[in-house]
Amino acid sequence: MEPAVLGGRLASSLIRPLVRKLFVPDGPGAGLVDKPVRLTDLVSFRGEKRTLGEKEVHRLAGRLVAEAVASPGERPFPPDEETAVTDALARRLLALGDLDMDDVQAVRLGSHELARRLHRQAPPPDGLTADACVFLDSATQWACLHVLEFFTRRSTFVARTLVQQTRGQAELIAKVDELITRTPRPDARDTAFERRYLPYVAERHNHLTIYGIDLRDSPDRWPLEVAYLTLEATTDREDDRDAVSGEDASGRTVRMPADETLDRKPRVLLRGDAGSGKTTLVQWLAVTAAREGTRIPYVLPLRTLVRTGPLPAPAAFLSAVGCPLSPPDGWAERVLTTGRALVLVDGLDEVPEADRHATRDWLRGLIHAYPGNRWLLTTRPTAVRADWLSQEGFRELSLAAMGRTEVATFVHRWHEAARAPEYEQPLLDSLRTKRDLSRLATNPLMCGLICALHRERRGYLPTGRKELYDAALTMLLARRDRERGMGTVEGPDLGEEAQLELLQRIAYAMVLSGRSEMAVETAEGIVERALPSLASAAGQGDVSAVLRTLLLRSGVLRRPAEGVVDFVHRTFQDYLAARYAVEEGHLPVLVGRAGDTQWEDVIRMAVAHARPRERAAVLRGLLAEDTPRLTLLALACLEHTTALDPVVRTEVEDRAAELIPPRTVEAAWELAGAGPLVLELLPGPERLTAEEALGVTVTASVLGREEPDGALAVLRRFRDHPDLGVRRQLAGTWHRFGTEEYADEVLDHLDRTGLFLDCETPAQLAALARMRPWTRLDVSGRHQIEDIAAAVPEPAAVTELRFRENPLLTDLDALRRFTSLGRLTLSECPNARGLERLSPLHLTELVLDPVADLTGLRDLPSLNLLSVVQELPGPGLTEALPAGAPLDFLFLGGDSTNATGLRGLGHWKTLHTLSLGPLATELTAADWREVAALPGLTHLYLNAAIIRDLPASIGCMPELPGVQVLQVYAMEGTEHLAALAPRLPGLHSVVLRNRPGHSFPVTDFQPLFPDADVTLYER
């Protein structure tokens, strides 16, 4: 019921007296005090001036409701709800006394908002019908109208309102004055120009051409907001990680949306492979900034800038990229000086190597002159070295390859824009099941080509890279305007072969010059020299017309700016250049450039195009360099060789077999140094030995930082491997990959037997909660024990826990929920206390290094392994250690024996192994008598520091005939072990372990123990 309708039932003569009774009479004055008079001071049923009680409010509300029901017309609600409605209305009126505002604020709210405040403040009506609730809300609003009218008629209201308005205006004036002082008024001409420039940028860059989309009945380009796909950027450098994402300082790869990188750091150098979406990201950032008006974007493609001569000053930014708008004099400098610019420099890799030093000087000059702006530079991964602009504060990120989710999203959007939904699901199924195809679909370029070919061929897909490019070029070059139903088109009608011939000559010229862009005049010269040999193009027009036809119809060559041509993507340029190099017999030139990683794809495609004898020559040339990378490049070329001299094939495979699979960890690290090319050559687990499988997983793990998706594809194949070493490698390399994805794809599939799972970050703990239970966990870093416990879905399944470097670990009571816990390690958890609270657990092994308090250690009677390094309390071991525990292994090191020595050690008759040191105090003859009193002692482990630094300790050692195994660890090779041999006559085995950085021959010590096997384990 609307208030106007209710007003017909409730006359103002009834409402107004009620409102006057609700509020106390006016007081004198205009309310000029600083503290306003709140409504709680004005209502008549609160405070000292009470003139109306709550019962009276209920009676007045009842009268209002009764009058409304009794008036002519349809009843507003059922008769049996009258009492409930009355009570609810009374409660809302009484809520006036609980509103924290004064009358001026109430009037400023208005009747609707005041009614809503009363509705929220009062208890909700219980059990009312919808009609009754509508009546109640309308009655409340009608009453609020009269309340506000009453306020405006009060004698103090107008005066108080004027006072508040005056104060508010003074405050506003002060703030505006301060804002004007801080922000000078921009020139009106600048503002007017930016109103034209920003829409121009948004329109110019708000579209993408998607390969193959310009087929019959399909648009030839997409709006950017439809085509744009958010990809991820990654970093694993320590300084980059802290600066870009403060939430992960654990040495792990950080992943973030690529379009948010400048929000985290104002200077970013973004690396990405060909077709990975770098230019699309630049367009997206420019369009977003232009539309939001947050920054003034400058899109500066270096391929265009280096062609026009010296790199431009800010005043020439727009003219250098072909912008038709003319800014006011000094506009660009003013934008940059005030720090409002977003400078997007695209394509460092497209600058000739000889010009990159000058390009860096140009960038440095701009950055130092205008330091407050945001800068994004893009490049291929190997074009510039890692620290190319690090001194200028640039943080380096890499554009990650598309994962399965991004590929699926791209495929969906492509088919939606192409209006071909019937092909979407079959293609997704093929991408999931065909490994070779899925390896190609790692960036937007290749995904677009695959989608287009799949649709054009009605579900048939090429299986190799050369076949894919062949098919893509056939599709792009052979499409005719008449296929689109347009009939005869203007210009020369060039056949596919003629177009290929012209395009590959242009591509080869670009590759040789080290550029990805060419002046129109240069391209016309190449076309002019080629035309006499092309019969199909003869007589069809002049050179300009032929080049214009290539630009308009080929779909491969384009004109990005006036007076310049380039290929839609560098991939096509490399492919076509390789084709021409083979035709012209220039393969030795390619082999001579093999040391440059930029030529890898050209060489691989050249081998694919070449004849068998030519392929053999190229591969032999690569092998002749005798470097791991070129040997592996030769192996990668075999993918494209249908026919090849079997002797050469065997030689390549044999040479590569020395590298792949790697048979040691050292060889795996060396192999990873050859770069991401290795990943596509690594074999699966079939027919590999355990050592070879471990080598493959180590190689892929090392490359996980550089190429995480490719490395993950390799490691995923080993997740069911039975070998413990392989499974340990898979579990231990989690930090190099995306936390959730690696957990889902690898960790959750591993056989847990013998494995620890390391968790360091909150994200890893969150992923742990979603996996199948792990029985052995190693948690390091600052985590609350409650968070750790909450991350374990089945605490009863955990049998072993390690906590490391966690000062937040204090009360150990939360560990009692791990009812099956058998082994607990507390390493560098200095504030942990309450060991006695672990007594309900059947702990058998405990390692402490150190904790806050050892007093509860005596209450753990089930221990059979114990390790302690901090000073034990009490005069002897029996007062500090659990006397009733069946100890089998005891390690005492550091300060543990400072007060107790080894007094009381003979109490533990079950002790089988004693490990000592390094110790802070000498061992006495009395201490050694305690050792001699152990009837079951067969293993004695000594830290070499005892022998080197505490020689008197060894001099006091008695004969221990029961010891059969001696282990001396952390040796430097200078220790005198001769004194041990006569004291340990029962030795069968002596194990020596070196200290890292120290080496020595085992033969130096074998003569000392003629009756024992002496073994050296080197670290």
Side-chain angles (χ1 to χ4, degrees):
M1 181 178 294
E2 294 296 326
V5 178
L6 182 66
R9 295 176 178 269
L10 300 177
S12 296
S13 60
L14 183 64
I15 291 285
R16 286 173 181 166
L18 167 63
V19 172
R20 283 197 297 270
K21 290 182 180 181
L22 289 175
F23 296 92
V24 298
D26 287 345
L32 299 181
V33 294
D34 291 335
K35 184 177 179 181
V37 180
R38 318 306 293 174
L39 289 187
T40 53
D41 299 323
L42 297 178
V43 295
S44 62
F45 46 86
R46 294 283 193 275
E48 299 177 355
K49 299 180 180 180
R50 181 177 300 182
T51 60
L52 184 68
E54 296 182 6
K55 291 182 179 180
E56 287 83 1
V57 175
H58 277 84
R59 272 200 305 272
L60 289 172
R63 184 179 173 189
L64 284 174
V65 173
E67 289 285 340
V69 171
S71 51
E74 182 182 353
R75 290 183 61 89
F77 52 85
D80 58 351
E81 293 189 286
E82 186 169 336
T83 301
V85 172
T86 299
D87 292 338
L89 180 59
R91 287 195 295 271
R92 289 196 180 177
L93 294 174
L94 289 169
L96 283 166
D98 298 322
L99 293 181
D100 185 24
M101 64 178 69
D102 57 32
D103 53 354
V104 177
Q105 293 169 332
V107 172
R108 188 181 299 124
L109 282 178
S111 61
H112 290 278
E113 183 59 28
L114 182 60
R116 281 195 289 268
R117 294 285 182 93
L118 290 178
H119 176 78
R120 291 195 298 266
Q121 195 73 29
D126 186 21
L128 293 182
T129 64
D131 289 341
C133 289
V134 170
F135 172 85
L136 179 60
D137 291 341
S138 297
T140 304
Q141 187 173 337
W142 188 249
C144 287
L145 282 171
H146 285 273
V147 167
L148 298 185
E149 182 185 18
F150 171 77
F151 285 159
T152 61
R153 294 175 179 270
R154 288 168 57 87
S155 61
T156 60
F157 177 82
V158 174
R160 291 231 316 276
T161 300
L162 291 174
V163 170
Q164 290 200 17
Q165 286 180 347
T166 301
R167 290 173 177 170
Q169 288 173 351
E171 182 180 356
L172 179 61
I173 290 170
K175 290 180 177 179
V176 170
D177 289 342
E178 182 179 0
L179 181 61
I180 291 174
T181 301
R182 292 184 177 183
T183 309
R185 180 178 178 271
D187 188 280
R189 293 177 303 159
D190 290 356
T191 303
F193 174 75
E194 288 168 13
R195 291 197 186 105
R196 298 172 58 212
Y197 175 70
L198 293 179
Y200 165 80
V201 171
E203 174 61 26
R204 176 175 179 178
H205 297 287
N206 188 34
H207 60 81
L208 291 175
T209 298
I210 305 299
Y211 304 103
I213 201 69
D214 49 348
L215 302 173
R216 182 169 49 252
D217 301 325
S218 296
D220 62 352
R221 59 184 188 175
W222 287 356
L224 187 63
E225 57 265 22
V226 176
Y228 181 70
L229 179 69
T230 299
L231 298 177
E232 287 189 316
T234 65
T235 181
D236 57 6
R237 289 179 54 186
E238 189 72 31
D239 53 348
D240 291 349
R241 182 169 54 252
D242 295 340
V244 175
S245 177
E247 56 198 39
D248 188 349
S250 58
R252 308 306 187 227
T253 298
V254 178
R255 302 173 71 92
M256 71 208 75
D259 49 13
E260 296 179 9
T261 55
L262 289 176
D263 295 335
R264 305 177 184 227
K265 192 68 181 176
R267 298 179 185 178
V268 173
L269 174 60
L270 183 67
R271 299 177 186 267
D273 290 320
S276 59
K278 301 185 297 296
T279 299
T280 304
L281 174 63
V282 166
Q283 290 182 241
W284 178 259
L285 293 173
V287 170
T288 302
R291 287 179 172 175
E292 295 177 353
T294 54
R295 294 268 170 179
I296 304 299
Y298 297 98
V299 180
L300 304 176
L302 280 173
R303 69 172 83 180
T304 299
L305 301 185
V306 297
R307 178 187 56 83
T308 57
L311 293 169
F317 277 178
L318 301 193
S319 60
V321 297
C323 176
L325 303 178
S326 298
D329 291 340
W331 168 75
E333 287 85 350
R334 287 191 292 274
V335 169
L336 289 162
T337 300
T338 55
R340 296 191 296 130
L342 172 62
V343 186
L344 304 167
V345 182
D346 189 26
L348 288 172
D349 54 286
E350 296 174 353
V351 177
E353 188 170 356
D355 296 336
R356 288 178 190 165
H357 184 76
T359 302
R360 182 171 57 179
D361 290 343
W362 172 71
L363 287 168
R364 282 175 170 170
L366 291 173
I367 293 163
H368 293 160
Y370 308 106
N373 301 281
R374 293 188 179 183
W375 304 77
L376 176 72
L377 315 181
T378 71
T379 181
R380 285 194 183 186
T382 57
V384 296
R385 66 175 187 267
D387 59 348
W388 200 65
L389 278 174
S390 60
Q391 292 184 354
E392 279 65 42
F394 275 81
R395 303 302 176 181
E396 293 197 9
L397 302 174
S398 297
L399 202 56
M402 292 169 64
R404 289 180 301 167
T405 301
E406 290 86 359
V407 170
T409 301
F410 184 98
V411 170
H412 171 71
R413 292 181 181 178
W414 194 99
H415 287 86
E416 185 178 35
R419 297 190 291 274
E422 67 275 15
Y423 292 106
E424 177 182 342
Q425 193 56 49
L427 178 57
L428 287 174
D429 293 339
S430 296
L431 287 170
R432 293 189 183 103
T433 56
K434 295 183 179 180
R435 176 182 151 201
D436 289 341
L437 187 65
S438 65
R439 286 167 58 188
L440 293 174
T442 57
N443 61 54
L445 169 70
M446 298 309 299
C447 283
L449 287 172
I450 291 169
C451 289
L453 290 169
H454 183 260
R455 178 197 174 191
E456 181 73 359
R457 294 182 168 203
R458 299 180 181 275
Y460 166 75
L461 282 169
T463 56
R465 184 177 300 183
K466 178 182 179 297
E467 185 181 354
L468 176 64
Y469 292 144
D470 285 341
L473 286 170
T474 297
M475 178 190 66
L476 293 171
L477 299 180
R479 71 181 192 269
R480 311 281 185 185
D481 289 320
R482 61 176 175 267
E483 290 179 357
R484 297 197 251 177
M486 298 179 62
T488 304
V489 296
E490 182 181 356
D493 187 7
L494 301 176
E496 180 181 352
E497 286 301 321
Q499 293 182 72
L500 278 173
E501 181 65 28
L502 296 173
L503 291 170
Q504 66 189 22
R505 291 188 182 214
I506 294 173
Y508 189 58
M510 287 185 182
V511 167
L512 286 178
S513 66
R515 296 181 181 272
S516 58
E517 197 172 76
M518 177 181 288
V520 169
E521 293 81 3
T522 305
E524 288 177 345
I526 294 173
V527 171
E528 183 177 16
R529 290 189 294 273
L531 281 180
S533 62
L534 300 177
S536 62
Q540 295 206 38
D542 59 16
V543 172
S544 298
V546 172
L547 182 59
R548 184 166 57 252
T549 299
L550 284 177
L551 290 167
L552 292 176
R553 296 176 54 195
S554 72
V556 177
L557 198 67
R558 66 178 181 177
R559 179 180 289 157
E562 189 63 30
V564 65
V565 297
D566 71 352
F567 285 88
V568 292
H569 201 277
R570 180 66 179 263
T571 305
F572 284 124
Q573 177 181 312
D574 293 345
Y575 173 86
L576 291 165
R579 191 174 189 266
Y580 185 76
V582 171
E583 290 183 359
E584 294 298 308
H586 292 175
L587 292 176
V589 175
L590 303 188
V591 174
R593 304 290 184 93
D596 187 345
T597 57
Q598 296 284 342
W599 286 71
E600 281 182 0
D601 281 343
V602 178
I603 293 171
R604 294 174 70 174
M605 289 298 98
V607 171
H609 285 297
R611 292 172 286 274
R613 191 171 297 176
E614 295 167 332
R615 291 170 178 164
V618 172
L619 295 177
R620 285 195 177 105
L622 295 177
L623 294 179
E625 296 295 326
D626 196 23
T627 65
R629 193 184 71 80
L630 295 188
T631 299
L632 296 176
L633 178 58
L635 181 63
C637 290
L638 294 184
E639 173 192 353
H640 310 291
T641 58
T642 306
L644 179 66
D645 182 346
V647 175
V648 177
R649 184 184 296 274
T650 300
E651 183 180 359
V652 172
E653 291 174 344
D654 289 347
R655 291 275 295 276
E658 298 174 5
L659 302 171
I660 297 179
R663 294 162 182 82
T664 65
V665 173
E666 293 77 13
W669 276 85
E670 183 178 356
L671 179 62
L677 171 70
V678 172
L679 291 172
E680 60 185 270
L681 304 175
L682 292 175
E686 300 80 11
R687 296 184 298 277
L688 294 183
T689 66
E691 291 77 12
E692 291 170 342
L694 177 60
V696 170
T697 54
V698 169
T699 301
S701 298
V702 174
L703 289 170
R705 294 191 185 278
E706 191 172 354
E707 193 67 37
D709 289 327
L712 180 58
V714 175
L715 297 178
R716 188 188 295 119
R717 305 201 296 270
F718 289 82
R719 65 190 187 186
D720 297 321
H721 203 283
D723 181 70
L724 178 60
V726 173
R727 290 185 288 117
R728 281 177 174 168
Q729 178 63 34
L730 293 176
T733 195
W734 189 8
H735 60 276
R736 291 187 171 98
F737 298 89
T739 302
E740 294 184 11
E741 184 179 18
Y742 194 82
D744 294 339
E745 295 295 331
V746 177
L747 294 178
D748 208 20
H749 299 266
L750 294 178
D751 176 5
R752 271 78 161 134
T753 306
L755 286 187
F756 267 97
L757 181 66
D758 295 342
C759 294
E760 296 188 18
T761 68
Q764 289 177 336
L765 287 176
L768 171 65
R770 296 189 299 272
M771 286 190 277
R772 293 185 296 112
W774 284 81
T775 59
R776 308 170 80 189
L777 294 173
D778 189 331
V779 183
S780 60
R782 300 170 63 89
H783 303 285
Q784 298 288 349
I785 185 61
E786 294 79 8
D787 296 336
I788 298 172
V792 181
E794 296 183 28
V798 178
T799 60
E800 188 167 348
L801 275 175
R802 294 177 184 167
F803 296 105
R804 295 182 291 117
E805 301 174 9
N806 190 353
L808 302 182
L809 184 62
T810 54
D811 189 356
L812 299 178
D813 188 59
L815 297 182
R816 296 174 62 173
R817 70 184 70 182
F818 296 93
T819 54
S820 301
L821 190 62
R823 179 181 174 99
L824 175 64
T825 298
L826 301 176
S827 177
E828 296 185 54
C829 300
N831 300 316
R833 61 179 69 250
L835 290 171
E836 69 279 358
R837 298 179 184 177
L838 303 179
S839 58
L841 303 176
H842 190 70
L843 275 181
T844 57
E845 300 182 11
L846 180 62
V847 177
L848 304 174
D849 182 20
V851 294
D853 185 9
L854 290 175
T855 54
L857 186 57
R858 300 184 74 251
D859 298 323
L860 304 177
S862 57
L863 294 178
N864 56 43
L865 181 149
L866 178 61
S867 174
V868 184
V869 296
Q870 65 197 92
E871 185 171 339
L872 293 167
L877 296 180
T878 53
E879 286 78 13
L881 307 183
L887 288 179
D888 176 75
F889 182 106
L890 178 62
F891 173 82
L892 298 173
D895 297 324
S896 59
T897 59
N898 286 359
T900 63
L902 297 182
R903 291 183 293 277
L905 180 64
H907 170 80
W908 286 275
K909 306 301 183 183
T910 56
L911 204 61
H912 174 269
T913 302
L914 177 64
S915 182
L916 298 174
L919 296 173
T921 56
E922 294 273 8
L923 295 175
T924 65
D927 292 328
W928 284 114
R929 284 195 294 272
E930 295 283 349
V931 176
L934 298 171
L937 186 68
T938 58
H939 290 63
L940 180 63
Y941 300 163
L942 297 175
N943 188 286
I946 295 178
I947 302 171
R948 291 194 306 268
D949 304 333
L950 305 175
S953 297
I954 303 302
C956 296
M957 179 190 294
E959 186 175 291
L960 302 174
V963 175
Q964 302 173 13
V965 177
L966 170 67
Q967 183 175 131
V968 183
Y969 56 96
M971 290 184 61
E972 296 178 355
T974 59
E975 293 80 5
H976 299 287
L977 305 186
L980 292 174
R983 291 173 168 82
L984 303 171
L987 284 179
H988 299 311
S989 174
V990 177
V991 178
L992 309 179
R993 297 181 182 272
N994 70 305
R995 185 178 179 182
H998 297 266
S999 61
F1000 50 87
V1002 69
T1003 53
D1004 291 350
F1005 299 95
Q1006 283 175 333
L1008 301 178
F1009 306 95
D1011 298 325
D1013 293 329
V1014 182
T1015 307
L1016 172 63
Y1017 288 96
E1018 292 189 286
R1019 297 178 61 185

